[in-house]
Amino acid sequence: MRNEFHNRLRCRVVTFLDDFGNRPGLLLLLFAAVYFTGFGLIASKGVISNDELFTLYISRLPRFRDVWAALATGAEQTPPLFYAISRADIHLFGTSGLALRLPELLAFALMCLCLFHIVARRTSAVYGFLAMLFALMTNAFNFALEARAYALVLAFSAFALLCWLWAVEARHRVLALVGLAVSLAAAISCHYYSVLSLFPIGMGELARSFRRKQIDVGVWLSLVLSLSPLLAFLHLMESARKYAPHFWAKPHWSSMAYFYQHFLLTPTAVPLLTIFLAAVLCSFLRRCAEGKEATRERPRIPLHEMSAVVGFLLIPAVGVALAKTVVGAYSDRYALPAVIGVCIIVAWGLSSLVAAREAPAAGLALLLCAFLIVKEVQTYRLMSETRALRTATFAFLEANGRGDSPIVVSGSTEFTELTYQAPSAIAGRLLYLADPGLALQYTGTNSAEKGLLEMKHWAGLNVQSFRSFAASGHPCYIYVEDFPDEYKWIIPELRAANWKLTLVAWQPDGILFVATPVGKGSTSGE
């Protein structure tokens, strides 16, 4: 009796999961509801970061030729198309947190939609759904929320892969080839390191040419034409290269392994464990009554498609090699399109593991949906806490930085963020003291320092020369977050210049000093 009840229950579960997994419209609707609701709330709540302020300040310059001139300084190393998109977004929707990040939210969703189609065409809709969800289990999650070029690069790269697949299958071939060239060109026009996305598609096309013993001229022509924006941006690229010798992020061969560990393995530990448990669940569900479970043929992936997906996985290695030999500057986020390969491999692998059955994949998809909702809730709470801490910092400075003496913010990142959001009572008093030579001496990099000196012209920031200010002998407050910090050199240099620093007040994430040259009077707040 009990066994019969259990069998009936298993069959009902399998029937429900099979039905759920065979409804692509329902799967996409569920993804859209979870994604846009959660990420919309997070984007609207998140504090605008230092990098996003570069996007905002440059995008809202009066004319596009002003944007081009700002990029020509080399202080911002992002190509113009990203700013054209951001300018249109700001013009239409304004500069709220959600409006500023809207292109990235939509772009990441487009990347997920491309993953869905790429995987579903070889397996079924539910495995495409899993690929979409798994993209949000990696650290790519954070770049759907950042008003920078990376989500756009992911979208254009994923769509280029899809166009290539359509082209080799002769599905609207001319349009597909145009889409391939335009998508890769758009990716490169948003971030120079997007040239890395040509590598996996080229690798796949090489495998295809080897199997066919014939070169597809149309595909190779599209790949070559996609590089044409680099010719238009040569002047901008040369300006950006001036920052490479002392760039804040230098390439290291160990960065290859770090990318896989930091961006892929660490954040996906729980989801990967869930996938393992799905195999156990699959074994349990297989015991349902005969004929109740839909079983499909295991996916057969053509060599050229597998080669392209593996090529995406190899992007971090190619990126580090390019940075070490040519560019001289590299951050792990530049290899972010590798996430595309990871998501496809995971979905294909799971399909093969469970013999392409719908029920276990649908069960896993529901678990990952629940995990994504938890992740969104946690991120929303973190954003709320960050906003509350920022409000507390302003109250701390107002309460303890009495008088009208300037408040020097020690870190360049903290300065730009505080200046943008500060209440009028202290906004005009916030000051940053810049000196690229001293920054290089103390920290080994001065790209952020030089960038801020250029940024003050676009944003009207109160940035002054450290040496000029120190020579003036004007007493001031010094606000330091995360003290001590290897990148905050102002305090040790003031001490070396024989200034007296006295602790005024402290809070968990910041300290306020009053600084006075020896022999000078103190501020009213000392």
Side-chain angles (χ1 to χ4, degrees):
M1 193 77 169
R2 179 177 293 182
N3 288 338
E4 184 179 350
F5 171 77
H6 286 168
N7 285 333
R8 252 183 288 165
L9 179 61
R10 291 191 192 102
C11 290
R12 287 179 182 176
V13 170
V14 170
T15 300
F16 167 78
L17 293 176
D18 277 336
D19 182 60
F20 173 73
N22 278 297
R23 295 191 177 187
L26 180 61
L27 296 173
L28 292 175
L29 183 62
L30 176 60
F31 179 84
V34 174
Y35 177 83
F36 286 108
T37 301
F39 278 71
L41 289 171
I42 295 168
S44 62
K45 195 71 172 179
V47 172
I48 297 177
S49 68
N50 175 71
D51 288 353
E52 291 177 310
L53 287 172
F54 269 79
T55 300
L56 175 61
Y57 288 138
I58 297 178
S59 296
R60 70 183 188 186
L61 288 171
R63 297 160 297 185
F64 194 76
R65 66 182 180 184
D66 297 323
V67 173
W68 191 278
L71 299 180
T73 66
E76 168 64 307
Q77 298 87 32
T78 304
L81 178 60
F82 169 67
Y83 284 102
I85 294 171
S86 298
R87 280 174 64 83
D89 170 60
I90 289 173
H91 177 74
L92 291 172
F93 303 108
T95 59
S96 68
L98 177 58
L100 185 63
R101 297 166 175 128
L102 186 60
E104 289 69 37
L105 287 175
L106 295 175
F108 200 94
L110 174 60
M111 186 268 290
C112 291
L113 192 61
C114 291
L115 289 176
F116 176 87
H117 187 81
I118 291 168
V119 172
R121 60 197 287 280
R122 292 297 178 197
T123 54
S124 64
V126 70
Y127 290 97
F129 185 49
L130 280 169
M132 299 172 80
L133 291 171
F134 196 79
L136 293 164
M137 301 298 109
T138 69
N139 255 359
F141 176 99
N142 300 312
F143 294 94
L145 299 165
E146 187 178 46
R148 297 296 286 167
Y150 305 107
L152 295 170
V153 169
L154 286 173
F156 289 131
S157 299
F159 188 68
L161 175 61
L162 185 56
C163 286
W164 174 66
L165 294 174
W166 285 337
V168 301
E169 293 173 356
R171 293 181 56 187
H172 308 289
R173 179 172 168 84
V174 174
L175 285 176
L177 290 174
V178 171
L180 171 62
V182 171
S183 296
L184 288 174
I188 293 169
S189 299
C190 285
H191 199 284
Y192 297 121
Y193 261 94
S194 296
V195 295
L196 294 174
S197 294
L198 273 74
F199 172 76
I201 296 176
M203 185 170 165
E205 187 59 30
L206 280 175
R208 178 169 170 261
S209 299
F210 177 78
R211 291 290 296 269
R212 296 171 69 235
K213 295 181 173 54
Q214 183 179 354
I215 293 176
D216 190 327
V217 176
V219 170
W220 288 109
L221 181 61
S222 295
L223 294 178
V224 171
L225 289 176
S226 71
L227 294 170
S228 56
L230 296 179
L231 298 176
F233 303 151
L234 277 176
H235 174 62
L236 301 181
M237 293 168 62
E238 285 300 315
S239 298
R241 280 180 60 85
K242 296 175 185 176
Y243 282 70
H246 305 300
F247 194 64
W248 65 271
K250 303 298 290 182
H252 304 282
W253 294 114
S254 60
S255 298
M256 298 180 190
Y258 180 78
F259 178 89
Y260 297 108
Q261 185 270 330
H262 177 66
F263 275 83
L264 303 179
L265 295 181
T266 298
T268 59
V270 173
L272 286 172
L273 177 61
T274 305
I275 289 174
F276 171 76
L277 294 176
V280 178
L281 177 64
C282 172
S283 177
F284 174 78
L285 293 175
R286 286 181 65 182
R287 292 181 292 180
C288 90
E290 185 177 358
K292 291 291 184 181
E293 184 180 17
T295 302
R296 298 181 177 228
E297 185 180 355
R298 294 171 187 255
R300 295 179 179 176
I301 312 299
L303 176 64
H304 63 275
E305 289 187 28
M306 183 61 72
S307 298
V309 172
V310 171
F312 272 102
L313 287 174
L314 295 176
I315 279 180
V318 179
V320 172
L322 177 66
K324 290 288 286 185
T325 56
V326 178
V327 182
Y330 178 80
S331 176
D332 295 292
R333 66 189 73 175
Y334 300 165
L336 202 58
V339 168
I340 295 170
V342 171
C343 296
I344 296 173
I345 284 289
V346 167
W348 281 350
L350 181 64
S351 177
S352 179
L353 177 68
V354 300
R357 283 185 291 274
E358 308 284 356
L364 176 61
L366 291 175
L367 286 174
L368 290 186
C369 264
F371 187 80
L372 175 58
I373 292 171
V374 170
K375 196 173 181 180
E376 288 176 333
V377 170
Q378 290 175 335
T379 305
Y380 181 82
R381 291 179 62 183
L382 179 62
M383 294 295 181
S384 300
E385 291 170 3
T386 302
R387 184 174 289 272
L389 287 172
R390 186 56 48 83
T391 302
T393 295
F394 293 137
F396 171 78
L397 293 176
E398 285 189 67
N400 297 285
R402 295 185 294 273
D404 59 359
S405 294
I407 302 173
V408 175
V409 181
S410 180
S412 59
T413 297
E414 292 85 352
F415 169 73
T416 54
E417 294 177 356
L418 289 172
T419 299
Y420 178 72
Q421 296 150 351
S424 57
I426 62 169
R429 297 172 59 195
L430 296 179
L431 167 67
Y432 185 77
L433 302 179
D435 190 304
L438 290 173
L440 182 62
Q441 175 185 330
Y442 277 90
T443 69
T445 178
N446 62 8
S447 57
E449 201 86 0
K450 292 166 68 176
L452 195 54
L453 286 169
E454 293 291 347
M455 188 179 183
K456 72 174 185 177
H457 303 298
W458 320 324
L461 299 177
N462 189 10
V463 179
Q464 299 180 22
S465 164
F466 173 83
R467 297 185 187 278
S468 297
F469 184 86
S472 73
H474 195 296
C476 64
Y477 290 98
I478 308 286
Y479 177 67
V480 190
E481 290 187 0
D482 304 319
F483 179 78
D485 188 305
E486 61 176 319
Y487 290 105
K488 296 180 174 68
W489 53 266
I490 290 177
I491 284 183
E493 187 60 23
L494 281 175
R495 285 174 173 159
N498 206 27
W499 280 54
K500 177 184 176 183
L501 274 74
T502 305
L503 176 66
V504 175
W506 63 275
Q507 60 177 0
D509 62 338
I511 300 177
L512 186 67
F513 297 95
V514 64
T516 310
V518 173
K520 297 284 184 178
S522 64
T523 66
S524 59
E526 187 174 6

Short mmCIF file of all heavy atoms in Angstrom, two decimals, residues 177-229:
data_model
loop_
_atom_site.label_atom_id
_atom_site.label_comp_id
_atom_site.label_asym_id
_atom_site.label_seq_id
_atom_site.Cartn_x
_atom_site.Cartn_y
_atom_site.Cartn_z
N LEU A 177 25.19 36.48 -41.19
CA LEU A 177 26.57 36.95 -41.34
C LEU A 177 26.69 38.44 -40.99
O LEU A 177 27.66 38.86 -40.36
CB LEU A 177 27.05 36.70 -42.77
CG LEU A 177 27.29 35.24 -43.15
CD1 LEU A 177 27.62 35.11 -44.63
CD2 LEU A 177 28.42 34.65 -42.31
N VAL A 178 25.70 39.22 -41.39
CA VAL A 178 25.70 40.64 -41.03
C VAL A 178 25.59 40.78 -39.51
O VAL A 178 26.29 41.58 -38.88
CB VAL A 178 24.53 41.38 -41.72
CG1 VAL A 178 24.38 42.79 -41.17
CG2 VAL A 178 24.76 41.42 -43.23
N GLY A 179 24.70 39.97 -38.91
CA GLY A 179 24.55 40.00 -37.46
C GLY A 179 25.83 39.62 -36.74
O GLY A 179 26.18 40.22 -35.71
N LEU A 180 26.56 38.63 -37.30
CA LEU A 180 27.83 38.22 -36.70
C LEU A 180 28.83 39.37 -36.72
O LEU A 180 29.46 39.68 -35.69
CB LEU A 180 28.38 37.02 -37.48
CG LEU A 180 29.80 36.56 -37.14
CD1 LEU A 180 29.88 36.12 -35.68
CD2 LEU A 180 30.24 35.43 -38.07
N ALA A 181 28.99 40.01 -37.87
CA ALA A 181 29.96 41.11 -37.98
C ALA A 181 29.56 42.29 -37.12
O ALA A 181 30.39 42.86 -36.40
CB ALA A 181 30.09 41.53 -39.45
N VAL A 182 28.28 42.66 -37.17
CA VAL A 182 27.82 43.84 -36.42
C VAL A 182 27.88 43.60 -34.92
O VAL A 182 28.28 44.49 -34.15
CB VAL A 182 26.39 44.22 -36.86
CG1 VAL A 182 25.81 45.29 -35.95
CG2 VAL A 182 26.39 44.71 -38.31
N SER A 183 27.52 42.39 -34.47
CA SER A 183 27.53 42.10 -33.03
C SER A 183 28.94 42.16 -32.47
O SER A 183 29.17 42.76 -31.41
CB SER A 183 26.94 40.71 -32.78
OG SER A 183 25.59 40.66 -33.15
N LEU A 184 29.89 41.54 -33.16
CA LEU A 184 31.27 41.58 -32.66
C LEU A 184 31.85 43.00 -32.75
O LEU A 184 32.57 43.43 -31.85
CB LEU A 184 32.14 40.61 -33.47
CG LEU A 184 31.89 39.12 -33.19
CD1 LEU A 184 32.70 38.26 -34.15
CD2 LEU A 184 32.24 38.77 -31.75
N ALA A 185 31.50 43.72 -33.81
CA ALA A 185 31.96 45.11 -33.92
C ALA A 185 31.37 45.96 -32.80
O ALA A 185 32.06 46.82 -32.23
CB ALA A 185 31.57 45.68 -35.28
N ALA A 186 30.11 45.71 -32.46
CA ALA A 186 29.48 46.45 -31.36
C ALA A 186 30.13 46.12 -30.03
O ALA A 186 30.34 47.01 -29.19
CB ALA A 186 27.98 46.13 -31.32
N ALA A 187 30.48 44.85 -29.83
CA ALA A 187 31.16 44.46 -28.59
C ALA A 187 32.51 45.18 -28.48
O ALA A 187 32.85 45.73 -27.42
CB ALA A 187 31.36 42.95 -28.55
N ILE A 188 33.26 45.19 -29.57
CA ILE A 188 34.57 45.87 -29.58
C ILE A 188 34.39 47.37 -29.37
O ILE A 188 35.23 48.02 -28.74
CB ILE A 188 35.31 45.57 -30.89
CG1 ILE A 188 35.68 44.09 -30.95
CG2 ILE A 188 36.55 46.44 -31.03
CD1 ILE A 188 36.19 43.63 -32.31
N SER A 189 33.28 47.93 -29.87
CA SER A 189 33.02 49.36 -29.74
C SER A 189 32.53 49.73 -28.34
O SER A 189 32.34 50.91 -28.05
CB SER A 189 31.98 49.81 -30.77
OG SER A 189 32.45 49.58 -32.08
N CYS A 190 32.30 48.71 -27.51
CA CYS A 190 31.94 48.95 -26.10
C CYS A 190 33.10 48.67 -25.16
O CYS A 190 33.17 49.26 -24.08
CB CYS A 190 30.75 48.07 -25.71
SG CYS A 190 29.17 48.62 -26.38
N HIS A 191 34.00 47.76 -25.57
CA HIS A 191 35.17 47.47 -24.74
C HIS A 191 36.24 46.85 -25.63
O HIS A 191 35.98 45.88 -26.35
CB HIS A 191 34.82 46.51 -23.61
CG HIS A 191 35.82 46.53 -22.48
ND1 HIS A 191 37.05 45.93 -22.58
CD2 HIS A 191 35.77 47.10 -21.26
CE1 HIS A 191 37.71 46.11 -21.44
NE2 HIS A 191 36.95 46.82 -20.62
N TYR A 192 37.44 47.40 -25.59
CA TYR A 192 38.49 46.95 -26.50
C TYR A 192 38.83 45.47 -26.31
O TYR A 192 39.16 44.78 -27.28
CB TYR A 192 39.75 47.80 -26.31
CG TYR A 192 39.56 49.25 -26.65
CD1 TYR A 192 39.78 50.25 -25.70
CD2 TYR A 192 39.15 49.64 -27.92
CE1 TYR A 192 39.61 51.59 -26.01
CE2 TYR A 192 38.97 50.98 -28.24
CZ TYR A 192 39.20 51.95 -27.28
OH TYR A 192 39.00 53.28 -27.60
N TYR A 193 38.76 44.98 -25.09
CA TYR A 193 39.10 43.58 -24.85
C TYR A 193 38.06 42.61 -25.41
O TYR A 193 38.24 41.40 -25.34
CB TYR A 193 39.29 43.33 -23.35
CG TYR A 193 40.74 43.34 -22.93
CD1 TYR A 193 41.34 44.50 -22.45
CD2 TYR A 193 41.52 42.19 -23.00
CE1 TYR A 193 42.67 44.51 -22.05
CE2 TYR A 193 42.85 42.19 -22.63
CZ TYR A 193 43.43 43.35 -22.15
OH TYR A 193 44.75 43.35 -21.77
N SER A 194 36.99 43.15 -26.00
CA SER A 194 36.00 42.27 -26.63
C SER A 194 36.55 41.58 -27.87
O SER A 194 35.90 40.67 -28.40
CB SER A 194 34.74 43.06 -26.99
OG SER A 194 34.11 43.55 -25.84
N VAL A 195 37.73 41.98 -28.32
CA VAL A 195 38.36 41.23 -29.42
C VAL A 195 38.57 39.78 -29.01
O VAL A 195 38.66 38.89 -29.87
CB VAL A 195 39.71 41.86 -29.83
CG1 VAL A 195 39.51 43.25 -30.40
CG2 VAL A 195 40.69 41.90 -28.66
N LEU A 196 38.58 39.52 -27.71
CA LEU A 196 38.73 38.14 -27.24
C LEU A 196 37.56 37.26 -27.68
O LEU A 196 37.71 36.04 -27.80
CB LEU A 196 38.84 38.12 -25.71
CG LEU A 196 40.09 38.77 -25.11
CD1 LEU A 196 39.97 38.80 -23.58
CD2 LEU A 196 41.34 38.03 -25.54
N SER A 197 36.39 37.87 -27.91
CA SER A 197 35.23 37.08 -28.32
C SER A 197 35.36 36.55 -29.73
O SER A 197 34.59 35.66 -30.13
CB SER A 197 33.95 37.92 -28.18
OG SER A 197 33.69 38.22 -26.82
N LEU A 198 36.30 37.08 -30.51
CA LEU A 198 36.54 36.52 -31.84
C LEU A 198 37.24 35.17 -31.74
O LEU A 198 37.10 34.32 -32.63
CB LEU A 198 37.40 37.46 -32.69
CG LEU A 198 36.66 38.54 -33.47
CD1 LEU A 198 36.17 39.66 -32.56
CD2 LEU A 198 37.56 39.11 -34.58
N PHE A 199 38.00 34.97 -30.66
CA PHE A 199 38.78 33.74 -30.54
C PHE A 199 37.91 32.49 -30.53
O PHE A 199 38.17 31.55 -31.31
CB PHE A 199 39.64 33.80 -29.28
CG PHE A 199 40.34 32.51 -28.96
CD1 PHE A 199 41.45 32.12 -29.67
CD2 PHE A 199 39.86 31.67 -27.96
CE1 PHE A 199 42.09 30.92 -29.39
CE2 PHE A 199 40.49 30.47 -27.67
CZ PHE A 199 41.61 30.09 -28.39
N PRO A 200 36.88 32.37 -29.70
CA PRO A 200 36.09 31.14 -29.69
C PRO A 200 35.36 30.89 -31.00
O PRO A 200 35.28 29.72 -31.45
CB PRO A 200 35.12 31.34 -28.53
CG PRO A 200 35.08 32.79 -28.28
CD PRO A 200 36.43 33.31 -28.65
N ILE A 201 34.81 31.94 -31.61
CA ILE A 201 34.11 31.74 -32.87
C ILE A 201 35.10 31.36 -33.96
O ILE A 201 34.82 30.48 -34.80
CB ILE A 201 33.31 33.01 -33.24
CG1 ILE A 201 32.22 33.24 -32.18
CG2 ILE A 201 32.69 32.87 -34.63
CD1 ILE A 201 31.42 34.51 -32.38
N GLY A 202 36.27 31.98 -33.96
CA GLY A 202 37.31 31.58 -34.91
C GLY A 202 37.76 30.16 -34.69
O GLY A 202 38.00 29.41 -35.65
N MET A 203 37.86 29.75 -33.41
CA MET A 203 38.25 28.38 -33.09
C MET A 203 37.20 27.38 -33.59
O MET A 203 37.53 26.33 -34.16
CB MET A 203 38.43 28.26 -31.58
CG MET A 203 38.95 26.94 -31.09
SD MET A 203 39.37 27.03 -29.32
CE MET A 203 39.49 25.28 -28.93
N GLY A 204 35.93 27.74 -33.41
CA GLY A 204 34.86 26.88 -33.91
C GLY A 204 34.85 26.79 -35.42
O GLY A 204 34.64 25.72 -36.00
N GLU A 205 35.11 27.92 -36.07
CA GLU A 205 35.11 27.93 -37.54
C GLU A 205 36.31 27.17 -38.09
O GLU A 205 36.21 26.51 -39.15
CB GLU A 205 35.11 29.37 -38.05
CG GLU A 205 34.95 29.51 -39.55
CD GLU A 205 33.66 28.88 -40.08
OE1 GLU A 205 32.65 28.84 -39.34
OE2 GLU A 205 33.67 28.41 -41.23
N LEU A 206 37.44 27.20 -37.39
CA LEU A 206 38.58 26.38 -37.80
C LEU A 206 38.25 24.90 -37.75
O LEU A 206 38.58 24.13 -38.67
CB LEU A 206 39.79 26.69 -36.91
CG LEU A 206 40.59 27.94 -37.23
CD1 LEU A 206 41.67 28.16 -36.17
CD2 LEU A 206 41.24 27.84 -38.62
N ALA A 207 37.59 24.49 -36.67
CA ALA A 207 37.18 23.08 -36.55
C ALA A 207 36.20 22.71 -37.66
O ALA A 207 36.28 21.62 -38.24
CB ALA A 207 36.54 22.85 -35.18
N ARG A 208 35.30 23.62 -37.97
CA ARG A 208 34.33 23.36 -39.05
C ARG A 208 35.03 23.27 -40.40
O ARG A 208 34.70 22.39 -41.23
CB ARG A 208 33.29 24.49 -39.05
CG ARG A 208 32.24 24.39 -40.15
CD ARG A 208 31.12 25.37 -39.91
NE ARG A 208 30.26 25.44 -41.06
CZ ARG A 208 30.30 26.39 -42.00
NH1 ARG A 208 31.19 27.39 -41.87
NH2 ARG A 208 29.47 26.37 -43.04
N SER A 209 35.98 24.17 -40.64
CA SER A 209 36.71 24.13 -41.91
C SER A 209 37.50 22.83 -42.05
O SER A 209 37.59 22.25 -43.14
CB SER A 209 37.66 25.33 -42.00
OG SER A 209 36.96 26.54 -41.95
N PHE A 210 38.06 22.36 -40.93
CA PHE A 210 38.81 21.11 -40.95
C PHE A 210 37.91 19.94 -41.29
O PHE A 210 38.29 19.07 -42.10
CB PHE A 210 39.47 20.89 -39.59
CG PHE A 210 40.21 19.60 -39.46
CD1 PHE A 210 41.47 19.45 -40.02
CD2 PHE A 210 39.64 18.52 -38.79
CE1 PHE A 210 42.16 18.24 -39.91
CE2 PHE A 210 40.31 17.31 -38.68
CZ PHE A 210 41.57 17.18 -39.25
N ARG A 211 36.72 19.92 -40.70
CA ARG A 211 35.79 18.82 -40.98
C ARG A 211 35.27 18.88 -42.41
O ARG A 211 35.11 17.83 -43.06
CB ARG A 211 34.61 18.86 -40.00
CG ARG A 211 34.99 18.51 -38.55
CD ARG A 211 35.34 17.03 -38.42
NE ARG A 211 34.22 16.18 -38.70
CZ ARG A 211 33.34 15.73 -37.80
NH1 ARG A 211 33.50 16.08 -36.52
NH2 ARG A 211 32.36 14.94 -38.15
N ARG A 212 35.00 20.08 -42.90
CA ARG A 212 34.43 20.23 -44.25
C ARG A 212 35.50 20.22 -45.33
O ARG A 212 35.19 20.05 -46.51
CB ARG A 212 33.65 21.55 -44.34
CG ARG A 212 32.45 21.63 -43.45
CD ARG A 212 31.87 23.03 -43.45
NE ARG A 212 31.27 23.37 -44.73
CZ ARG A 212 31.57 24.44 -45.46
NH1 ARG A 212 32.54 25.25 -45.04
NH2 ARG A 212 30.97 24.68 -46.61
N LYS A 213 36.76 20.42 -44.90
CA LYS A 213 37.87 20.58 -45.86
C LYS A 213 37.56 21.70 -46.86
O LYS A 213 37.85 21.61 -48.06
CB LYS A 213 38.15 19.27 -46.59
CG LYS A 213 38.64 18.16 -45.67
CD LYS A 213 38.93 16.90 -46.44
CE LYS A 213 39.59 15.85 -45.57
NZ LYS A 213 38.86 15.52 -44.34
N GLN A 214 36.96 22.77 -46.30
CA GLN A 214 36.58 23.90 -47.13
C GLN A 214 36.46 25.13 -46.24
O GLN A 214 35.97 25.05 -45.11
CB GLN A 214 35.24 23.63 -47.82
CG GLN A 214 34.79 24.73 -48.76
CD GLN A 214 33.46 24.38 -49.43
OE1 GLN A 214 32.93 23.28 -49.27
NE2 GLN A 214 32.92 25.33 -50.18
N ILE A 215 36.91 26.28 -46.75
CA ILE A 215 36.85 27.52 -45.99
C ILE A 215 35.55 28.26 -46.30
O ILE A 215 35.18 28.41 -47.47
CB ILE A 215 38.06 28.42 -46.32
CG1 ILE A 215 39.35 27.76 -45.82
CG2 ILE A 215 37.90 29.80 -45.69
CD1 ILE A 215 40.60 28.53 -46.18
N ASP A 216 34.88 28.70 -45.27
CA ASP A 216 33.65 29.48 -45.43
C ASP A 216 34.06 30.96 -45.50
O ASP A 216 34.29 31.62 -44.47
CB ASP A 216 32.71 29.24 -44.24
CG ASP A 216 31.33 29.84 -44.47
OD1 ASP A 216 31.24 30.88 -45.14
OD2 ASP A 216 30.34 29.28 -43.95
N VAL A 217 34.16 31.48 -46.70
CA VAL A 217 34.64 32.84 -46.91
C VAL A 217 33.74 33.85 -46.22
O VAL A 217 34.22 34.84 -45.63
CB VAL A 217 34.74 33.16 -48.42
CG1 VAL A 217 35.16 34.62 -48.63
CG2 VAL A 217 35.72 32.22 -49.09
N GLY A 218 32.44 33.63 -46.24
CA GLY A 218 31.50 34.57 -45.64
C GLY A 218 31.72 34.76 -44.15
O GLY A 218 31.71 35.89 -43.64
N VAL A 219 31.95 33.66 -43.44
CA VAL A 219 32.17 33.74 -42.00
C VAL A 219 33.47 34.47 -41.69
O VAL A 219 33.52 35.37 -40.84
CB VAL A 219 32.17 32.33 -41.37
CG1 VAL A 219 32.66 32.40 -39.93
CG2 VAL A 219 30.78 31.72 -41.44
N TRP A 220 34.55 34.08 -42.39
CA TRP A 220 35.84 34.72 -42.12
C TRP A 220 35.83 36.20 -42.49
O TRP A 220 36.45 37.04 -41.81
CB TRP A 220 36.96 33.99 -42.86
CG TRP A 220 37.27 32.66 -42.27
CD1 TRP A 220 37.01 31.43 -42.80
CD2 TRP A 220 37.88 32.42 -41.00
NE1 TRP A 220 37.41 30.43 -41.96
CE2 TRP A 220 37.97 31.00 -40.83
CE3 TRP A 220 38.36 33.22 -39.99
CZ2 TRP A 220 38.50 30.40 -39.70
CZ3 TRP A 220 38.90 32.64 -38.85
CH2 TRP A 220 38.97 31.26 -38.72
N LEU A 221 35.11 36.54 -43.55
CA LEU A 221 34.99 37.95 -43.91
C LEU A 221 34.26 38.73 -42.82
O LEU A 221 34.63 39.86 -42.48
CB LEU A 221 34.26 38.09 -45.25
CG LEU A 221 34.09 39.52 -45.79
CD1 LEU A 221 35.45 40.17 -46.02
CD2 LEU A 221 33.27 39.51 -47.08
N SER A 222 33.22 38.12 -42.27
CA SER A 222 32.48 38.77 -41.17
C SER A 222 33.37 38.99 -39.96
O SER A 222 33.31 40.04 -39.32
CB SER A 222 31.26 37.92 -40.78
OG SER A 222 30.32 37.85 -41.84
N LEU A 223 34.19 38.00 -39.65
CA LEU A 223 35.09 38.14 -38.50
C LEU A 223 36.11 39.25 -38.73
O LEU A 223 36.41 40.03 -37.81
CB LEU A 223 35.80 36.81 -38.22
CG LEU A 223 34.91 35.64 -37.75
CD1 LEU A 223 35.75 34.38 -37.57
CD2 LEU A 223 34.20 36.00 -36.46
N VAL A 224 36.65 39.33 -39.95
CA VAL A 224 37.64 40.37 -40.25
C VAL A 224 36.98 41.75 -40.21
O VAL A 224 37.52 42.70 -39.63
CB VAL A 224 38.29 40.11 -41.62
CG1 VAL A 224 39.15 41.30 -42.03
CG2 VAL A 224 39.13 38.85 -41.57
N LEU A 225 35.79 41.87 -40.79
CA LEU A 225 35.10 43.16 -40.81
C LEU A 225 34.71 43.62 -39.40
O LEU A 225 34.61 44.83 -39.15
CB LEU A 225 33.85 43.07 -41.68
CG LEU A 225 34.08 42.96 -43.19
CD1 LEU A 225 32.76 42.77 -43.93
CD2 LEU A 225 34.82 44.20 -43.71
N SER A 226 34.49 42.69 -38.50
CA SER A 226 34.11 43.07 -37.14
C SER A 226 35.23 43.84 -36.43
O SER A 226 34.97 44.52 -35.43
CB SER A 226 33.74 41.83 -36.33
OG SER A 226 34.89 41.04 -36.03
N LEU A 227 36.46 43.74 -36.95
CA LEU A 227 37.58 44.44 -36.34
C LEU A 227 37.71 45.89 -36.81
O LEU A 227 38.55 46.64 -36.31
CB LEU A 227 38.90 43.71 -36.65
CG LEU A 227 39.05 42.31 -36.05
CD1 LEU A 227 40.27 41.62 -36.64
CD2 LEU A 227 39.16 42.40 -34.54
N SER A 228 36.86 46.29 -37.75
CA SER A 228 36.98 47.63 -38.34
C SER A 228 36.88 48.77 -37.33
O SER A 228 37.53 49.81 -37.53
CB SER A 228 35.94 47.81 -39.46
OG SER A 228 34.63 47.58 -38.95
N PRO A 229 36.09 48.65 -36.23
CA PRO A 229 36.08 49.77 -35.27
C PRO A 229 37.45 50.10 -34.70
O PRO A 229 37.69 51.25 -34.32
CB PRO A 229 35.12 49.27 -34.16
CG PRO A 229 34.23 48.30 -34.85
CD PRO A 229 35.09 47.63 -35.86
#
